[in-house]
Amino acid sequence: MLLTNATHSVIIPNLFAAITIGVLANIAALIVKAPVNVMYIPSLVSLVPGAIIYMSMKDFTLGREAAAQAGLVKTLTIAIALAVGFVMSEALFNQIRLPLRKWLTNRRKRRAANIHTK
């Protein structure tokens, strides 16, 4: 919301949201040893512009082509921003994946050793 008010655009807030979700979902997937899509999908649902596309289709069927076109452009803009954000998050996470995986493995080993010594 803050970024939307500051930029008057839908690109930057959705791009940053997708990057944030992408990086955090990858981290969570490593921690819980689950596929990253299990983390992406629930987080992404709230960002999908379903209401905008619905209103665009409604405007189109009611003969308001200008409003429908504006809504479709906004929907495509949001969808592209989300896609680019997820690609950027994957590229960013690939840079930190190995060090994070090593850290998690060492942490799990230390915890297992502490449990067996008690």
Side-chain angles (χ1 to χ4, degrees), residues 48-95:
V48 173
I52 299 170
I53 193 75
Y54 170 79
M55 294 305 290
S56 298
M57 292 296 111
K58 181 180 170 186
D59 287 337
F60 181 72
T61 57
L62 294 174
R64 295 181 244 167
E65 285 83 15
Q69 184 179 19
L72 289 173
V73 168
K74 189 173 187 179
T75 300
L76 287 174
T77 303
I78 292 171
I80 290 169
L82 292 174
V84 169
F86 279 118
V87 169
M88 290 174 68
S89 71
E90 286 295 323
L92 177 65
F93 189 72
N94 281 336
Q95 301 298 315

